[in-house]
């Protein structure tokens, strides 16, 4: 069993338990559930940098990345740096994140927030809206075409943007549908954790221009972004590069200055 399979197996257990403890109706009563969202895809289209900066404490491939920075400080720092949006890991077991991280970021900044999670149930999409997310991540590798359609259409009804992540051509072909806003190519193989920007380049021509193209993982330099922009990428999700520093917000600020 590879790491992705393990994460999904544990996620099914986690969601099953949550559904027994907290009914959907409870989430629908929370203040953020009725609040207006900000479109991450529109921000990316209008941006010169296209940076989606991540808050991530640890990962299965790198172990601890940053367990001292507060999400509130990082959110404020990212907003001051001029990023387009903020991605927040809410998986606790493998990434050290919580839903409270997203709530605290929501209270601290006005950036579009992407809930980065292993979504395997509609329940998690309701959760995302209730805790203040503006967008959700769907991972093609763990979902059927029917599930991608079902989950993305629910997200659109809740006015959430949808970033659909693919790793190869097969995943891309099963995923293209009008209920998506952004198509993300993950340069990291989730089974081996090897990284290559060539994946983004190879898949770029297969992604229709209706969608915002986002490149994810392994982007640690301005040169990498400039290398990918001619391939039509308007979004760049950067996680470890900022988080592994003492001041992620300042790191993002200097990065964007160098880029534009």
């Amino acid at each position: 069993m590879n790491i992705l399979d393990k994460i999904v197996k544990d996620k099914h257990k986690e969601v099953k338990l949550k559904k027994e403890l907290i009914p959907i109706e409870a989430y629908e009563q929370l203040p953020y559930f009725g609040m207006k969202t900000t479109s991450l895809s529109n921000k990316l289209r209008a941006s010169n940098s296209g940076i989606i900066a991540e808050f991530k404490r640890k990962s299965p491939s790198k172990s601890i990345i940053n367990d001292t920075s507060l999400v509130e400080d990082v959110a404020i720092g990212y907003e001051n740096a001029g990023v387009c949006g903020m991605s927040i890991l809410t998986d606790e077991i493998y990434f050290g994140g919580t839903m409270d991280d997203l709530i605290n970021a929501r209270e601290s900044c006005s950036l579009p927030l992407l809930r980065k999670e292993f979504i395997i149930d509609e329940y998690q999409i309701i959760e995302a809206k209730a805790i203040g997310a503006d967008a959700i991540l769907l991972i093609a590798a763990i979902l059927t075409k029917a599930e991608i359609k079902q989950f993305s259409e629910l997200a659109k009804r809740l006015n959430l943007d949808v970033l659909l992540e693919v790793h190869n051509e097969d995943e891309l072909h099963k995923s293209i549908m009008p209920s998506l806003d952004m198509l993300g190519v993950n340069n990291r193989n989730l089974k081996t954790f090897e990284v290559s920007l060539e994946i983004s380049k190879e898949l770029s021509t297969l992604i229709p221009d209706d969608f915002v193209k986002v490149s994810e993982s392994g982007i640690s330099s301005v040169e990498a972004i400039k290398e990918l922009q001619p391939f039509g990428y308007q979004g760049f999700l950067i996680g470890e590069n900022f988080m592994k520093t003492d001041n992620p917000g300042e790191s993002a600020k200097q990065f964007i200055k160098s880029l534009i």
Side-chain angles (χ1 to χ4, degrees):
M1 188 182 288
N2 62 52
I3 188 65
L4 184 59
D5 293 334
K6 288 179 185 173
I7 292 172
V8 171
K9 185 179 178 183
D10 285 332
K11 193 59 60 177
H12 276 284
K13 292 177 188 171
E14 178 189 315
V15 173
K16 183 175 183 291
L17 179 60
K18 274 189 175 182
K19 287 168 86 170
E20 291 169 1
L21 295 173
I22 308 169
I24 279 178
E25 292 75 22
Y27 283 124
E28 291 174 340
Q29 300 305 312
L30 294 177
Y32 285 129
F33 192 81
M35 286 185 68
K36 190 176 184 295
T37 54
T38 302
S39 172
L40 175 58
S41 58
N42 287 346
K43 287 271 186 183
L44 293 174
R45 282 193 181 94
S47 169
N48 291 324
S49 71
I51 303 296
I52 306 167
E54 195 152 85
F55 181 82
K56 176 164 60 175
R57 292 189 179 87
K58 66 176 186 176
S59 74
S61 60
K62 295 287 176 71
S63 190
I64 298 296
I65 297 164
N66 185 331
D67 59 358
T68 57
S69 292
L70 297 175
V71 67
E72 300 93 324
D73 296 338
V74 175
I76 293 167
Y78 281 162
E79 186 163 35
N80 290 339
V83 305
C84 291
M86 182 173 178
S87 166
I88 301 172
L89 270 296
T90 58
D91 173 80
E92 189 162 5
I93 298 173
Y94 295 91
F95 291 88
T98 67
M99 293 203 301
D100 281 344
D101 289 334
L102 202 145
I103 292 169
N104 290 335
R106 176 75 294 147
E107 291 172 352
S108 306
C109 73
S110 58
L111 289 169
L113 300 182
L114 169 71
R115 183 187 188 187
K116 198 172 184 189
E117 180 58 270
F118 297 84
I119 290 178
I120 44 88
D121 195 290
E122 286 190 343
Y123 183 88
Q124 295 161 285
I125 302 170
I126 304 289
E127 267 185 341
K129 175 68 170 165
I131 60 175
D134 299 282
I136 60 162
L137 174 76
L138 296 179
I139 302 172
I142 64 174
L143 300 172
T144 65
K145 183 172 185 175
E147 286 172 329
I148 294 169
K149 184 174 189 294
Q150 175 190 350
F151 295 167
S152 59
E153 287 179 354
L154 171 60
K156 298 317 296 173
R157 291 197 296 274
L158 295 172
N159 293 314
L160 295 170
D161 267 16
V162 181
L163 169 60
L164 190 286
E165 175 181 296
V166 300
H167 300 84
N168 55 49
E169 191 172 336
D170 289 342
E171 289 176 9
L172 180 60
H173 285 313
K174 80 171 182 182
S175 304
I176 294 174
M177 55 188 74
S179 45
L180 307 176
D181 303 283
M182 299 163 281
L183 272 163
V185 178
N186 193 332
N187 301 303
R188 177 177 285 116
N189 184 316
L190 286 186
K191 295 178 180 176
T192 65
F193 282 94
E194 292 174 359
V195 175
S196 170
L197 295 183
E198 294 307 309
I199 301 171
S200 281
K201 293 177 185 178
E202 288 166 11
L203 295 185
S204 64
T205 57
L206 304 175
I207 301 173
D209 291 335
D210 308 356
F211 306 102
V212 175
K213 297 179 191 178
V214 179
S215 187
E216 310 170 29
S217 298
I219 300 169
S220 57
S221 67
V222 167
E223 289 70 34
I225 289 177
K226 291 187 172 174
E227 197 179 321
L228 290 169
Q229 282 174 331
F231 290 86
Y233 286 93
Q234 293 174 286
F236 306 92
L237 200 152
I238 300 180
E240 293 163 15
N241 196 54
F242 302 145
M243 285 302 297
K244 68 186 179 184
T245 67
D246 292 334
N247 189 332
E250 184 59 29
S251 299
K253 187 176 184 179
Q254 296 308 319
F255 190 96
I256 290 172
K257 268 188 183 176
S258 302
L259 178 61
I260 61 175

